[in-house]
Amino acid sequence: MISRLAYTFRETWASFRRNMTLTVAAIITSAVSLLIFGLTLLMQRGFDNLLVKWEGGVEMIVFVGSNANDEQRAEITNALDAQKPNLIESYRYCDVECSLDEADRVLAGDPGVLELLTAENVPTQFKVVPTDATDVDTLRLLRESLREAPGVQNIALAVEELDTIAKLKGFVGLYTLILSIVLLIAAVLLIWNTIRTAMFARRREIEVMKLVGATDWFIRVPFMLEGLIHGLLGSLGACAGLWLVNNRWTAGVQDFPDNSGFEAMVVPGSFTGVVMLGLLGIGMLAGAIGSGIAASRFLDV
Amino acid sequence: MIRIENVTKTYGTDVVALRDASFDVPKGEFVFLVGPSGSGKSTLLRLLNRQDRPERGAVWVAGRNIIDMPSGRVPQLRRNIGNIFQDYKLLLNKTVAENVAFAQEVIGKPKHVIRQQVPAVLDLVGLAGKEDRFPHQLSGGEQQRVSVARAFVNRPLIMLADEPTGNLDPATGEGIMRLLDRINKTGTTVLMATHDQRIVNTMRKRVIQLDRGVIVRDQARGVYE
Ligand SMILES: Nc1ncnc2c1ncn2[C@@H]1O[C@H](COP(=O)(O)OP(=O)(O)OP(=O)(O)O)[C@@H](O)[C@H]1O
Ligand SMILES: [Mg+2]
């Protein structure tokens, strides 16, 4: 068992050194592809943060001041009910707890502001789903009529806040995803080719091994290990890159103007950690499986 | 030990390498395969360790028909068969001892067994003292001895030799033959394909002659002709 392990690692290392150029190319390609894939996930998450308060067809949010009393809230409810079903299809009240939860996500990049929010001072929200979301003029009129109601602090319309964001998300998300998949395929092909070259260089040994009765798995495992290490090194590179980019972004966002809205696009460290683990998993799996298939395919040399 | 039953092996559509060949080799026998170039000798040897499969017929090795043997069992079959080739097939980046040990390492023999058996078999083939040389530092005959040692170190039941003396001068070839004879006397069944008339005629073992894939002669204590 020990000698077998020693054998495996010796062979893997020797093959690694023999194919330096191809190996490095395979590792760099897998690193870049996984990095782009990871960035796509982080960006999506950032956009989702921006969009989270508008989930479920909500087009208008009525923010209610924390000092409003029950009577004032009832009045707003009545005003909204009066427009059902002609203008308003439905609405949902997001209470103190719900609003704090949402702030946790939206303001992740702005811990200073987040800390100032408490159950006493957080504005609550009426989330309004209009009957016809495309009729912007009517929505604006509705806002005017509600603005003067007592207790209302502010009214936000989705069209004004996130039209560009939603478009940007669709565009960026799709193209970076395609790019990362194309690159990942390139990485697997490169690993495949590296393994093929490695096996060709050792075809005589493989022939002898087969003749004296080594099992296919015994022959295959060092090559799979090699592919797994390529994938691992590539994904480690991707993780380092991701960490760097995310750190620069988180730090950079603090310098943006206060109302840019970008602070919502900061992704919490825990999510970044999950993405990194995912990249490591994909990298190692793609490397091991790719080289395993390549090894089986060329075992007849 | 070996039984070939009505074996036909073709390559492509028109090359018939073996045609309806049948014979039987009991344990411990020594058999020469002779015949002109292209008559099917190497093909026959390749069928015996499942490097190839025939279209028709049965190939029995150590009591098993190996034609429909699942590929997972083939390694086990090959551990019972030693192979020697005209071109030695040594690994050039390994020393003599490493080449022999390799055949044990890759089938998972424990280190202490390897440490004990490799020197013993190198001693048997007359290479004691040359363990640390590389193949390019050996004569052709010595290289073939290394390959015999590698084939024999796992004590196979059967030894397949494809023109093992083809690249050697007569005296050196005779040395290899004495070695194969000794191995045969330990009970190992030996099948050897050869063009070497002198060797066949002096050893007087069983001779199976092939011509264009057909067995045309099977003679005990035979000669080359
Ligand atoms: N892999 C292959 N593909 C196609 N034809 C083959 C293959 N191997 C052998 N043959 C053909 O099968 C026939 C028998 O070949 P084989 O190698 O068994 O002959 P042989 O008796 O060993 O000859 P030699 O004495 O020259 O070694 C020949 O016609 C050869 O061309
Ligand atoms: Mg031949």
Side-chain angles (χ1 to χ4, degrees):
Chain A
M1 195 60 211
I2 300 287
S3 78
R4 208 182 151 130
L5 267 181
Y7 164 83
T8 305
F9 281 108
R10 207 168 56 229
E11 290 306 326
T12 303
W13 174 240
S15 172
F16 221 82
R17 297 189 24 174
R18 214 165 10 222
N19 295 307
M20 211 41 130
T21 351
L22 253 179
T23 304
V24 170
I27 292 174
I28 289 177
T29 316
S30 48
V32 172
S33 69
L34 290 170
L35 176 61
I36 293 180
F37 183 62
L39 284 177
T40 308
L41 292 182
L42 290 198
M43 274 192 288
Q44 291 291 333
R45 172 70 180 216
F47 282 123
D48 283 348
N49 284 348
L50 280 183
L51 296 172
V52 68
K53 60 181 171 181
W54 301 106
E55 264 161 15
V58 172
E59 291 289 335
M60 185 169 86
I61 298 178
V62 180
F63 289 96
V64 180
S66 54
N67 49 358
N69 54 33
D70 288 349
E71 210 172 291
Q72 290 170 326
R73 272 193 291 275
E75 223 170 289
I76 298 172
T77 311
N78 287 339
L80 291 172
D81 281 337
Q83 305 298 337
K84 269 166 107 176
N86 287 349
L87 300 182
I88 294 175
E89 187 186 295
S90 66
Y91 66 87
R92 181 167 63 81
Y93 180 60
C94 179
D95 63 10
V96 171
E97 200 181 325
C98 156
S99 296
L100 277 177
D101 272 355
E102 205 177 270
D104 272 345
R105 232 185 123 177
V106 177
L107 296 176
D110 210 342
V113 173
L114 189 59
E115 229 161 77
L116 294 177
L117 278 182
T118 65
E120 278 69 49
N121 66 12
V122 69
T124 57
Q125 316 161 49
F126 283 95
K127 303 206 168 197
V128 180
V129 180
T131 309
D132 181 3
T134 56
D135 192 353
V136 179
D137 289 339
T138 310
L139 275 175
R140 291 214 166 97
L141 283 175
L142 189 62
R143 170 167 65 176
E144 290 316 309
S145 74
L146 287 169
R147 179 163 277 166
E148 300 312 320
V152 172
Q153 190 179 62
N154 177 29
I155 300 181
L157 290 187
V159 272
E160 291 173 359
E161 263 194 30
L162 49 73
D163 203 32
T164 37
I165 293 173
K167 284 200 179 115
L168 204 62
K169 174 187 165 165
F171 182 84
V172 172
L174 182 67
Y175 287 100
T176 51
L177 193 68
I178 291 176
L179 187 63
S180 63
I181 289 175
V182 168
L183 278 170
L184 193 63
I185 292 173
V188 170
L189 288 179
L190 267 173
I191 290 179
W192 171 288
N193 206 35
T194 315
I195 298 307
R196 190 174 63 169
T197 310
M199 293 191 77
F200 190 75
R202 295 186 52 212
R203 63 191 180 286
R204 206 185 169 93
E205 259 160 291
I206 293 175
E207 187 189 358
V208 172
M209 282 196 261
K210 294 187 74 160
L211 278 174
V212 300
T215 61
D216 284 356
W217 276 108
F218 184 89
I219 302 172
R220 197 153 37 203
V221 162
F223 295 107
M224 289 183 70
L225 186 67
E226 191 178 338
L228 186 137
I229 291 175
H230 292 173
L232 177 66
L233 291 179
S235 49
L236 281 178
C239 286
L242 203 65
W243 182 81
L244 197 72
V245 170
N246 195 43
N247 253 18
R248 299 313 305 147
W249 171 248
T250 307
V253 158
Q254 316 285 346
D255 300 334
F256 285 165
D258 272 353
N259 56 354
S260 70
F262 276 115
E263 60 272 17
M265 288 199 65
V266 164
V267 172
S270 58
F271 183 75
T272 314
V274 171
V275 170
M276 285 182 176
L277 281 182
L279 293 187
L280 287 175
I282 296 176
M284 295 198 300
L285 217 64
I289 293 178
S291 53
I293 295 173
S296 305
R297 179 120 159 43
F298 300 110
L299 217 47
D300 305 316
V301 280
Chain B
M1 182 60 44
I2 294 170
R3 184 203 296 267
I4 303 279
E5 285 173 5
N6 308 102
V7 163
T8 297
K9 170 74 196 170
T10 55
Y11 288 110
T13 47
D14 45 348
V15 182
V16 182
L18 283 175
R19 193 191 301 271
D20 204 25
S22 298
F23 63 84
D24 201 333
V25 181
K27 179 168 167 37
E29 199 167 31
F30 194 120
V31 181
F32 284 118
L33 295 174
V34 302
S37 192
S39 57
K41 305 183 293 294
S42 299
T43 301
L44 184 54
L45 294 179
R46 275 206 306 278
L47 294 182
L48 291 174
N49 58 16
R50 255 284 293 258
Q51 282 179 279
D52 252 323
R53 287 156 106 164
E55 278 71 43
R56 276 196 299 283
V59 178
W60 295 85
V61 174
R64 287 190 61 119
N65 186 355
I66 64 168
I67 289 173
D68 35 79
M69 176 182 263
S71 56
R73 297 201 57 108
V74 171
Q76 200 53 50
L77 166 78
R78 290 184 179 158
R79 289 175 196 191
N80 288 316
I81 301 175
N83 290 280
I84 312 170
F85 302 95
Q86 182 170 2
D87 59 356
Y88 323 131
K89 295 199 196 293
L90 297 180
L91 303 178
L92 304 179
N93 56 344
K94 293 188 190 297
T95 65
V96 168
E98 285 166 352
N99 263 285
V100 178
F102 187 70
Q104 298 202 295
E105 277 171 17
V106 301
I107 62 169
K109 283 272 165 78
K111 264 231 153 62
H112 67 270
V113 173
I114 298 177
R115 255 199 304 273
Q116 184 193 348
Q117 292 187 347
V118 170
V121 79
L122 283 176
D123 195 34
L124 176 83
V125 301
L127 284 174
K130 297 187 172 155
E131 296 86 352
D132 296 329
R133 295 222 198 155
F134 286 92
H136 67 87
Q137 297 168 319
L138 298 175
S139 71
E142 288 168 329
Q143 290 186 51
Q144 191 60 291
R145 284 169 190 271
V146 179
S147 106
V148 172
R150 181 179 66 190
F152 191 60
V153 69
N154 289 322
R155 306 287 151 161
L157 299 169
I158 298 166
M159 194 79 121
L160 304 178
D162 197 346
E163 303 188 37
T165 60
N167 283 347
L168 306 176
D169 66 61
T172 317
E174 261 168 47
I176 295 294
M177 289 318 298
R178 273 197 298 277
L179 202 50
L180 285 180
D181 200 30
R182 271 179 70 189
I183 285 172
N184 175 238
K185 295 227 158 66
T186 67
T188 307
T189 309
V190 180
L191 255 75
M192 169 171 159
T194 185
H195 287 289
D196 199 321
Q197 299 197 21
R198 257 173 31 106
I199 285 174
V200 176
N201 291 342
T202 49
M203 300 258 304
R204 299 305 301 263
K205 303 284 189 187
R206 177 175 172 192
V207 174
I208 294 177
Q209 185 177 351
L210 286 161
D211 188 10
R212 276 162 290 174
V214 179
I215 295 180
V216 293
R217 177 166 63 109
D218 187 345
Q219 183 180 24
R221 299 186 57 76
V223 292
Y224 190 87
E225 283 186 19

